Amino acid sequence: IGFHYECILIPFLFAALIAGLAKAKEKPEIGTIALLFLSFLLFFGRSPVFHIRKFWPTAHHNMVRAELKKIPETASISTQTALHPHLTHRKDAFLFSGAPKTDYVIVDLSENLERYGTPNLLADVKMMDGYRNYLKIFDQDHLLIWKKEERGDFGLGSDREP
């Protein structure tokens, strides 16, 4: 099953299967069993194992998980849609857009990550280097983390001294 839309058919298919098996002989032939098995494979598409294997954690995922654990639980964070579900247990977790107001900004610029909720992610990341009150504390394997420094200058490229 590729999408949830087809799920409505499952109870009816099983009811038809049970009715068909009830009409069949007591001991179905091997060909009948093979035909049923093949029809499930053909009509229901890929096995769920395919999807599990696709999302099996890689070394990159493990590194991201380890770095996220280093951020204090009480810190407010700003991040993209791909990382946000892993940080929603925090009291203050926001989607990264524009000038941040959080303690940490976390982005993963890996090519295969969804950017739906943060369409201006690349432009916002370029702006981060201009915010003098944020220090980049991590930059490895497309994962970037900035930490807010407690300084007096909060503007973009502010000329004021701390």
Side-chain angles (χ1 to χ4, degrees):
I1 296 175
F3 295 96
H4 65 281
Y5 306 110
E6 298 97 359
C7 289
I8 193 71
L9 300 175
I10 292 174
F12 299 105
L13 291 172
F14 275 105
L17 174 65
I18 292 168
L21 289 175
K23 289 183 181 181
K25 301 177 193 173
E26 281 187 25
K27 188 175 179 186
E29 296 177 15
I30 217 71
T32 306
I33 295 171
L35 183 62
L36 282 172
F37 181 73
L38 184 61
S39 66
F40 275 110
L41 286 179
L42 292 175
F43 289 108
F44 287 112
R46 294 184 179 134
S47 160
V49 175
F50 169 79
H51 297 291
I52 292 170
R53 205 175 304 135
K54 181 179 177 186
F55 294 107
W56 195 261
T58 64
H60 177 77
H61 295 123
N62 293 333
M63 181 270 300
V64 170
R65 184 181 310 113
E67 292 304 317
L68 292 179
K69 282 184 180 180
K70 293 178 184 177
I71 297 172
E73 289 290 323
T74 56
S76 61
I77 59 98
S78 193
T79 191
Q80 70 200 86
T81 52
L83 296 177
H84 195 265
H86 303 283
L87 298 163
T88 55
H89 61 281
R90 295 169 178 271
K91 182 180 175 193
D92 296 314
F94 305 97
L95 285 178
F96 177 46
S97 180
K101 296 179 177 92
T102 56
D103 299 325
Y104 289 84
V105 175
I106 310 156
V107 295
D108 188 347
L109 298 178
S110 298
E111 293 290 323
N112 59 341
L113 289 182
E114 176 66 47
R115 295 191 180 147
Y116 173 74
T118 48
N120 300 322
L121 183 65
L122 296 177
D124 290 338
V125 165
K126 286 181 183 177
M127 296 283 285
M128 284 303 296
D129 290 329
Y131 294 110
R132 292 179 45 175
N133 59 319
Y134 280 91
L135 175 67
K136 190 184 292 183
I137 60 169
F138 191 84
D139 183 353
Q140 180 181 331
D141 196 22
H142 306 290
L143 181 67
L144 306 171
I145 302 175
W146 288 270
K147 181 180 179 185
K148 186 177 193 177
E149 290 185 315
E150 294 302 322
R151 296 171 56 168
D153 55 337
F154 292 100
L156 177 66
S158 174
D159 291 325
R160 292 183 289 151
E161 292 297 320

